[in-house]
Amino acid sequence: MKRVQDKVVLITGAASGVGKADALLLAAEGARVVLADIDCETGAALAAEIGAAALFIELDVAEEAHWQRAIEQTLATFGRLDVLVNNAAICPIGTIEEASLAQWRTVMRVNADGYFLGCKYAIEAMKHNATGGSIIMMSSVAALGGLPPMCAYTGSKGAVTALTRNVAMHCKNSGYRIRCNSIHPDGIWTPMTQSLVPNLDPVALGIGDNPMARMCMPEDVANLVLFLASDESRFVNGAELRIDNAQTISGIAG
């Protein structure tokens, strides 16, 4: 049997980058995947590529009504929800001196409000499952060590990390058997990263080949998501899992 056979997984930001890698790997390991994104064309194409085990849903994670509709469609199509991957995020540049209040609020709306809403409605859908569920939160090493060029992003990921602990304890205390863990990458070679640092040469940096490289590939993160989605991680709850090749503890993060 595959590692997540017949589990129903909702992934936000699933049209590209880490979300896409998550969707492809989880589907290959037996899951039925709900691909949620604001990029309808690309998301629908990916769902068609995966086939009958995939459903695309348009989802603006900051809109409560969108979440309510997404959960309803997931349950109507697949009958249950076992795993939520809160992955969608934005990452604009701006130090504490440069960032505007408007930028701060925009980032918080997506990266913090969106994750709050995802947890709120996923718990409601999962809490009656006999086998519980798993909520996987994409945070960042920025939440652990700070990232000076990205003030709003750092703040939002700090909120995600604290929310993870709250959700884990709430669900445990409530007897829901729902786990919640956060993943903390450093750099990931995704379209979003490439747009922020367009002059980086992945070959020169060893991205994808060199195990000592600072940046990982989306598939590296997807492997950790697969573990947290599977029953193999049944005793992992409220954890902050770094996937940064020791960057955070090296003393030169950021």
Side-chain angles (χ1 to χ4, degrees):
M1 184 173 289
K2 296 181 179 181
R3 294 172 68 187
V4 284
Q5 187 68 43
D6 296 327
K7 288 187 182 293
V8 178
V9 184
L10 193 159
I11 305 164
T12 68
S16 65
V18 172
K20 178 180 178 179
D22 292 345
L24 290 170
L25 180 59
L26 291 164
E29 288 290 339
R32 291 169 287 176
V33 290
V34 180
L35 314 182
D37 208 296
I38 57 173
D39 184 346
C40 296
E41 182 177 353
T42 307
L46 179 59
E49 176 187 335
I50 293 171
L55 169 70
F56 174 75
I57 295 176
E58 182 181 6
L59 173 65
D60 178 343
V61 295
E63 293 290 341
E64 187 167 17
H66 281 219
W67 271 109
Q68 292 169 326
R69 183 182 65 201
I71 297 296
E72 287 171 2
Q73 288 182 255
T74 298
L75 298 179
T77 302
F78 294 124
R80 58 187 294 117
L81 177 65
D82 300 290
V83 180
L84 168 67
V85 184
N86 261 331
N87 169 73
I90 57 175
C91 185
I93 300 293
T95 68
I96 184 64
E97 294 183 89
E98 298 164 345
S100 65
L101 180 58
Q103 183 191 79
W104 174 271
R105 286 174 172 169
T106 297
V107 173
M108 287 294 175
R109 179 178 179 273
V110 175
N111 297 4
D113 294 0
Y115 283 38
F116 159 77
L117 289 168
C119 290
K120 180 178 180 65
Y121 286 102
I123 289 170
E124 182 61 30
M126 293 178 186
K127 67 183 183 181
H128 300 299
N129 292 350
T131 54
S134 175
I135 297 175
I136 302 165
M137 307 277 264
M138 285 301 301
S139 186
S140 168
V141 296
L144 306 177
L147 194 59
M150 300 174 183
C151 170
Y153 177 79
T154 298
S156 70
K157 292 304 183 178
V160 167
T161 304
L163 179 63
T164 299
R165 293 191 291 267
N166 177 270
V167 169
M169 288 305 303
H170 170 76
C171 290
K172 182 176 181 178
N173 290 345
S174 301
Y176 292 157
R177 301 184 68 179
I178 299 171
R179 298 176 293 111
C180 187
N181 297 285
S182 57
I183 295 177
H184 298 256
D186 187 16
I188 313 171
W189 193 242
T190 63
M192 183 169 71
T193 302
Q194 293 165 37
S195 69
L196 291 171
V197 283
N199 297 320
L200 284 184
D201 181 356
V203 176
L205 293 172
I207 298 169
D209 297 313
N210 184 352
M212 301 305 292
R214 179 168 177 175
M215 283 193 181
C216 67
M217 297 297 290
E219 292 76 15
D220 295 312
V221 179
N223 283 323
L224 182 52
V225 170
L226 172 61
F227 169 68
L228 292 174
S230 76
D231 294 337
E232 298 162 19
S233 60
R234 66 186 182 90
F235 216 67
V236 181
N237 193 16
E240 299 167 7
L241 302 170
R242 292 196 293 266
I243 181 164
D244 68 344
N245 203 8
Q247 186 65 28
T248 305
I249 62 172
S250 71
I252 56 172

